[in-house]
Amino acid sequence: MSPDEPSAAAPEGDVAVPWHRLDPRKLLLDPVKALGQLIVPILAIVVGVGSRDPRFFLATPVMILAALALGAIPWLTTYYRITDGQLQLRRGLLNKKSSTVRLERVRSVDLEASLLHRVLGLRKVEIGTGVDDERIVLDAVSVQHAASLRALLLTARASAGEPAQPVAAAGSGTAQAPGEQGLAPSSPADAGPTGIPTPVAWQAHPEEELARIDWTWLRFAPFSLARLVIVVGAVGFVSQVADDLPFLDGEHIRDAWRWVTGFALASVVTGLLVAGLLGWLLLSVAGYVAQWWGLRLTRGDGSLHLTSGLFTTRSISVEEQRVRGVLLTEKALLRLVGGAELATLATGVAGGVTTILPPSPVRVAADVAGTIVEDEQAVRTPLLSHGPAARRRTHVRAQFTTAGLALLLVALAVLNRPWEFRDLVPGWAPLALVLGCVAVAAACAEASYAHLGNALTERHLVAGSGITARNRTVLETDGIIGWVARQSLFQRRAGLVTLTATTAAGNERVVLRDVPHDRAMALVHGCTPAPLAPFLVAAHD
């Protein structure tokens, strides 16, 4: 499927299938979005130029009408239809594009609704095939039609080639049973009050609920540093414009510093820390609520469905046949309060890794993971450690940074390079810095080794990894398409192997570092016995 290529010709029986526009409410959606994107440039031009030439204000209505007209073009130039075996989309005014995807090739159908979409009762449908990152997007579909379309596309895989049942078009226009007659209402009673036929609801199978939001999980929000990037970005922005702000010049800063030091410094520092913690608490909780509001994880029609979001609601679907495993992550701070995050490893999904549970109790995450992979043992079984040789290598590897820092300090001392702050730093400071790095590296190495391990169940390979975070990767053995075994000179002397299981899911590889050689061969043979069997027989003979 390529959006830049013309769509394939419809089968002979699909000639009568009509093309449909998106929902007419898109005529309100796109102009408002276009106006919102252009409002700042319009105001800048009006204020900047209009202040010198008042007649320029007369052009403001023209620019606003132009923005509204520009927003209406997508509705006027976008058409789609569902034939007996294809979804076809045509769009564009000057550069026309056609996209075609066979229904059995659909891998994901995601529904998204911004605040404006929700006010207008619309949804954006994103359809992925797993072939590339390009997706078919229907930006304005009614809520009912979006749900019917998702159910239809996700169930069309199983029923490919079978007689189709009556289904719905996902937008305004006619609706029939797919086939030679296209999509149309089964009776005149199906037509709406405006003469536009009302689509027949697709009968989806009942869904099994796997998890839903529990607001006691808010206690985990401050222990997830994912939103720290917002704080860093804000600080960076302020630092860039600080010189242009009148209240942040040198004189004001010196006055503020004298005012602060006029109080007890300990009280000021304590107050700043308390204010920072309260600010972080509010930011993290607000972000958690906005992202995971209404979280509901279900299983139905052969797919996992995740719905969440306060201002922008997203409904993500992942085909279960494409799910090859799960990733259970316990980050350092979350681990202190018994929290974890859960993601699926799937093929044909953008990025390969889809987060399906926010920071939540590790027990809940483990239960959901066991249900998805249908193997509780793979999620809960203790991991086999890699032995003392792997532990020594982990510690040696962690001290490389310390060794580099020590060599740098020695080189500075030997070369007698000028040191800007040599009069301010005591002579024992470099040694203390090196010793501190040694202690930190040793702690990180011990944590890395504690998280290192592997296990093998009847259907899954389990790998443990991570330094500050404890990661448990559960991968189906059927999803392993190859192995890479690497041994450095020192690994050969220690009898260790670094194994990489290649897969089409997730990040496309699962790495098991410093595995004892015999254990590595047993893992490979246990996961994929056929490729290794001739070599084992030859070695035995």
Side-chain angles (χ1 to χ4, degrees), residues 256-460:
W257 177 250
R258 284 193 295 268
W259 180 81
V260 168
T261 54
F263 300 91
L265 189 59
S267 301
V268 172
V269 172
T270 302
L272 291 176
L273 289 176
V274 171
L277 289 176
L278 289 177
W280 171 249
L281 181 64
L282 292 175
L283 176 64
S284 59
V285 170
Y288 191 101
V289 171
Q291 182 177 0
W292 300 108
W293 178 275
L295 167 70
R296 188 167 180 262
L297 177 65
T298 60
R299 163 191 279 169
D301 296 323
S303 298
L304 298 173
H305 305 294
L306 174 67
T307 304
S308 66
L310 178 59
F311 302 108
T312 298
T313 301
R314 295 206 65 190
S315 180
I316 301 173
S317 299
V318 181
E319 185 184 4
E320 284 194 274
Q321 291 182 351
R322 297 282 168 169
V323 176
R324 292 302 188 181
V326 295
L327 173 62
L328 186 66
T329 303
E330 301 173 60
K331 297 179 180 178
L333 294 180
L334 280 177
R335 204 162 59 245
L336 296 176
V337 292
E341 298 177 356
L342 182 64
T344 58
L345 309 177
T347 61
V349 178
V353 180
T354 303
T355 301
I356 59 174
L357 276 186
S360 54
V362 65
R363 173 186 53 80
V364 174
D367 289 342
V368 173
T371 302
I372 291 175
V373 300
E374 298 179 349
D375 188 353
E376 290 287 343
Q377 182 184 3
V379 177
R380 302 183 184 279
T381 186
L383 301 181
L384 297 177
S385 65
H386 290 181
R391 188 175 196 170
R392 288 194 299 270
R393 277 192 54 79
T394 302
H395 277 272
V396 171
R397 188 184 300 110
Q399 298 299 338
F400 285 164
T401 303
T402 304
L405 177 62
L407 289 176
L408 177 61
L409 294 176
V410 170
L412 289 175
V414 171
L415 297 176
N416 195 23
R417 297 291 300 271
W419 192 2
E420 183 179 357
F421 301 105
R422 64 189 310 169
D423 296 332
L424 302 177
V425 178
W428 50 264
L431 178 60
L433 178 62
V434 172
L435 293 179
C437 289
V438 169
V440 171
C444 291
E446 193 62 28
S448 177
Y449 176 75
H451 302 158
L452 194 64
N454 65 82
L456 183 63
T457 66
E458 184 178 354
R459 296 188 299 112
H460 292 91

Side-chain angles (χ1 to χ4, degrees), residues 466-483:
I467 300 178
T468 58
R470 179 163 57 198
N471 303 317
R472 175 182 285 248
T473 304
V474 179
L475 179 66
E476 284 185 358
T477 54
D478 290 342
I480 299 176
I481 58 179
W483 291 92

Side-chain angles (χ1 to χ4, degrees), residues 22-308:
L22 298 174
D23 195 285
R25 283 169 286 186
K26 186 175 176 65
L27 288 172
L28 297 175
L29 177 68
D30 281 348
V32 172
K33 289 167 58 178
L35 192 60
Q37 295 171 353
L38 296 177
I39 191 65
V40 174
I42 289 175
L43 289 177
I45 294 174
V46 169
V47 173
V49 181
S51 60
R52 295 190 297 270
D53 186 359
R55 291 176 300 176
F56 190 80
F57 284 107
L58 299 177
T60 303
V62 177
M63 291 186 289
I64 294 177
L65 290 176
L68 296 178
L70 186 64
I73 290 177
W75 184 83
L76 296 172
T77 60
T78 301
Y79 299 88
Y80 74 97
R81 68 178 180 179
I82 301 177
T83 68
D84 195 23
Q86 293 181 340
L87 170 65
Q88 300 173 354
L89 175 69
R90 291 179 179 175
R91 63 194 185 278
L93 179 61
L94 300 178
N95 296 325
K96 294 185 178 295
K97 296 182 180 180
S98 298
S99 302
T100 300
V101 58
R102 296 198 61 82
L103 299 184
E104 65 267 21
R105 296 298 302 169
V106 172
R107 295 295 172 249
S108 64
V109 182
D110 299 342
L111 307 183
E112 181 177 331
S114 65
L115 189 57
L116 186 57
H117 279 83
R118 293 164 63 186
V119 169
L120 296 175
L122 299 175
R123 294 292 183 269
K124 180 167 72 172
V125 182
E126 298 183 359
I127 303 163
T129 62
V131 176
D132 47 37
D133 292 335
E134 195 71 33
R135 313 184 102 195
I136 291 181
V137 178
L138 305 177
D139 190 28
V141 179
S142 68
V143 175
Q144 176 187 359
H145 296 161
S148 299
L149 179 60
R150 183 176 73 169
L152 165 61
L153 294 177
L154 293 179
T155 53
R157 299 185 300 259
S159 58
E162 299 178 1
Q165 304 176 15
V167 296
S172 62
T174 58
Q176 296 178 350
E180 295 185 0
Q181 301 303 318
L183 300 173
S186 56
S187 68
D190 292 331
T194 62
I196 298 176
T198 302
V200 181
W202 179 264
Q203 299 297 325
H205 297 92
E207 292 185 335
E208 174 192 1
E209 184 175 279
L210 303 182
R212 68 166 53 240
I213 190 67
D214 183 344
W215 291 117
T216 61
W217 298 353
L218 281 176
R219 67 184 186 272
F220 298 108
F223 296 93
S224 176
L225 301 181
R227 289 171 185 84
L228 191 61
V229 66
I230 300 176
V231 178
V232 175
V235 172
F237 174 77
V238 171
S239 65
Q240 292 292 326
V241 301
D243 295 336
D244 300 327
L245 298 177
F247 54 86
L248 286 181
D249 58 12
E251 183 178 354
H252 284 82
I253 292 177
R254 284 191 295 270
D255 292 341
W257 177 250
R258 284 193 295 268
W259 180 81
V260 168
T261 54
F263 300 91
L265 189 59
S267 301
V268 172
V269 172
T270 302
L272 291 176
L273 289 176
V274 171
L277 289 176
L278 289 177
W280 171 249
L281 181 64
L282 292 175
L283 176 64
S284 59
V285 170
Y288 191 101
V289 171
Q291 182 177 0
W292 300 108
W293 178 275
L295 167 70
R296 188 167 180 262
L297 177 65
T298 60
R299 163 191 279 169
D301 296 323
S303 298
L304 298 173
H305 305 294
L306 174 67
T307 304
S308 66

